[in-house]
Amino acid sequence: MSGYPSSPATYGLRESATFDRATIAGIQRAAGSGVYDIRGWGAKRALPHFDDLLFLGASMSRYPLEGYRERCGTDVILGDRNAKYPLHLDIPVTIAGMSFGALSAQAKEALGRGASEVGTSTTTGDGGMTPEERDQSKHLVYQYLPSRYGMNPTDLRKADAIEVVLGQGAKPGGGGMLLGQKISDRVAAMRTLPPGIDQRSACRHPDWTGPDDLAIKILELREITDWEKPIYVKIGASRTYYDVKLAVAAGADVVVLDGMQGGTAATQDVFIEHVGIPTLAALPQAVQALDELGLHRRVQLIVSGGIRTGADVAKAMALGADAVAIGTAALIALGDNHPRYAAEYERLGSAAGYYDDFQDGRDPAGITTQDPELAARLDPVEGGRRLANYLRVLTMEAQTLARACGKAHLRNLEPEDLVALTVEAAAMARVPLAGTTWIPGADR
């Protein structure tokens, strides 16, 4: 018997729960290479998530809406607390920040095209704004990150909103990575870096050390943009309750909360799997903080990290989000991990549905690469069409569930519409365990 048999149980073998095959392979890889594992995507471990919640559809005690005759609104306004020109979006599903550098220029253009087709926003990411993205984006949010790569006041003024990034769900407390094989001449010029050299982004902003400095920075950004643009503050889910309160006190118009299921272009695997808290646990904490400040719905809350379906969208909104953001799902809609590239993924030592080596720049789908030949495989027009289709489906699915709960607008969904399937999910989401009135941890 050599290697692992096709049916280990046949030989009376039992796999260790602590040292399973993935863990053993990780130890052997570390022993052989002497370096930690870097990858993209987000947490792969099983975590409490929106699948652990169910909607209570209408029957006798609630009155459902007729799907083909009664409207269910989907629009949302973001940033009307202080900005002259808040964003008016047709749907509450936005595109999260993903950089040019991590993604190809074609991918960035496709994201702008798809978002614009359905009336929502997309976001720049680290490294600055590309002309393709700006030209094709009706609503473009400009990320202001610790690295300041590609940042300039002219592009700030061209944007429709500004997102000050303090953390990311996949790596709260850590900075980004862009390996040398993705630092093309164009990426290097935009970031003022040498081509072909690994780049690591800072984990904190260089010109402030705390909330008071953030308040000063937000005021500077408002003055640069003549108080026209909404100011978002993005946090990675960790000490969510306190971080939201501090962000709002500093002047945020919108808080973006990214849970640990959120994706990344590249960071340490140990970071992705062992830092932060699940989206489901973080969202109610953020809502509680806003409620206590008397600013829930006045300061909008965008939630990201593992949003995949219209059910996820509806559940996030029922728990108190005003909108959601998608990243990994948007890339999959463009064609990432598509079975058509199965043979090429296999040559890279991966498989369709498993490919997460975004840092290597060899993505056969042309999305997470700077290789001109690979990037040319992605048609921005076709990619934008696919993304727009996906966003429409998410919205229609969310509307279907809202109507079933008797809601004439997605924003009217509420925790009372939900129950949990597990004790853990009930405690995190602060909704009753199905079949009971019990919310674990709630005051009696």
Side-chain angles (χ1 to χ4, degrees):
M1 182 176 64
S2 61
Y4 290 108
S6 57
S7 179
T10 302
Y11 299 90
L13 302 179
R14 180 181 177 188
E15 186 171 0
S16 169
T18 304
F19 290 91
D20 59 12
R21 276 170 277 181
T23 301
I24 291 171
I27 293 171
Q28 292 170 343
R29 185 209 57 77
S33 67
V35 296
Y36 50 65
D37 188 24
I38 297 173
R39 67 172 177 86
W41 230 335
K44 293 189 173 183
R45 63 161 67 199
L47 295 165
H49 199 44
F50 294 115
D51 286 345
D52 296 312
L53 304 180
L54 295 174
F55 278 105
L56 297 175
S59 54
M60 285 291 289
S61 60
R62 298 291 184 276
Y63 192 72
L65 300 185
E66 172 56 57
Y68 294 97
R69 292 183 295 173
E70 296 177 292
R71 288 180 55 83
C72 179
T74 64
D75 62 301
V76 62
I77 298 175
L78 300 174
D80 58 349
R81 182 188 184 197
N82 294 298
K84 291 180 184 177
Y85 304 119
L87 268 61
H88 293 251
L89 306 183
D90 294 336
I91 64 172
V93 187
T94 68
I95 307 300
M98 294 175 279
S99 75
F100 168 63
L103 305 187
S104 64
Q106 289 88 336
K108 292 298 290 179
E109 179 182 343
L111 293 174
R113 286 178 177 273
S116 297
E117 188 173 327
V118 296
T120 192
S121 64
T122 187
T123 311
T124 59
D126 207 353
M129 177 191 295
T130 66
E132 301 98 314
E133 185 177 28
R134 177 63 279 186
D135 291 345
Q136 299 300 330
S137 301
K138 181 179 179 181
H139 306 288
L140 182 60
V141 181
Y142 188 96
Q143 281 196 332
Y144 186 84
L145 294 107
S147 72
R148 303 288 199 272
Y149 289 136
M151 200 287 293
N152 67 75
T154 300
D155 284 345
L156 280 175
R157 296 186 184 101
K158 289 180 183 177
D160 301 294
I162 299 167
E163 182 174 298
V164 181
V165 179
L166 302 185
Q168 190 173 335
K171 50 191 178 190
M177 296 180 176
L178 194 63
L179 300 191
Q181 53 265 43
K182 296 178 77 173
I183 307 290
S184 65
D185 289 342
R186 184 181 180 190
V187 172
M190 287 181 63
R191 299 185 183 218
T192 319
L193 292 169
I197 304 298
D198 292 353
Q199 169 256 303
R200 300 190 69 152
S201 298
C203 63
R204 64 175 187 264
H205 288 260
D207 50 354
W208 76 70
T209 58
D212 292 339
D213 294 327
L214 175 58
I216 294 170
K217 180 57 64 177
I218 288 177
L219 185 58
E220 289 177 359
L221 293 171
R222 292 200 191 282
E223 291 176 348
I224 289 172
T225 57
D226 196 27
W227 289 75
E228 293 180 349
K229 322 291 185 183
I231 306 294
Y232 299 11
V233 172
K234 180 176 181 177
I235 58 175
S238 55
R239 296 177 176 86
T240 305
Y241 172 81
Y242 301 104
D243 290 344
V244 169
K245 283 200 167 185
L246 290 170
V248 173
D253 299 314
V254 178
V255 173
V256 181
L257 173 64
D258 195 21
M260 71 177 291
Q261 293 99 317
T264 181
T267 197
Q268 300 98 320
D269 176 77
V270 69
F271 216 133
I272 295 172
E273 297 289 354
H274 298 283
V275 181
I277 63 174
T279 307
L280 189 64
L283 174 48
Q285 294 182 37
V287 173
Q288 179 187 351
L290 292 171
D291 270 336
E292 290 179 2
L293 293 170
L295 290 172
H296 185 216
R297 306 300 186 191
R298 185 76 177 101
V299 172
Q300 287 79 43
L301 177 63
I302 300 175
V303 172
S304 57
I307 303 295
R308 308 150 299 172
T309 66
D312 292 343
V313 175
K315 291 171 186 178
M317 296 188 72
L319 291 176
D322 295 279
V324 302
I326 60 171
T328 301
L331 301 187
I332 294 171
L334 295 185
D336 174 59
N337 269 283
H338 199 286
R340 75 167 69 98
Y341 300 115
E344 294 183 68
Y345 287 129
E346 186 174 349
R347 285 196 291 272
L348 294 173
S350 187
Y354 294 83
Y355 181 70
D356 60 11
D357 289 325
F358 302 155
Q359 75 283 351
D360 285 345
R362 297 183 291 170
D363 179 7
I367 297 170
T368 60
T369 183
Q370 296 303 315
D371 182 304
E373 292 185 9
L374 292 175
R377 295 181 176 184
L378 179 63
D379 177 359
V381 176
E382 172 62 14
R385 184 192 66 82
R386 289 176 58 87
L387 176 61
N389 283 343
Y390 173 58
L391 290 169
R392 290 188 185 100
V393 170
L394 292 184
T395 305
M396 289 188 289
E397 288 178 341
Q399 287 175 296
T400 297
L401 295 171
R403 285 192 180 99
C405 295
K407 310 298 186 183
H409 200 288
L410 293 184
R411 75 168 71 95
N412 296 337
L413 288 165
E414 55 191 326
E416 190 269 343
D417 296 315
L418 295 170
V419 293
L421 290 172
T422 68
V423 172
E424 292 85 356
M428 291 181 183
R430 305 179 186 181
V431 299
L433 188 66
T436 78
T437 59
W438 179 46
I439 300 176
D443 294 336
R444 293 183 179 278

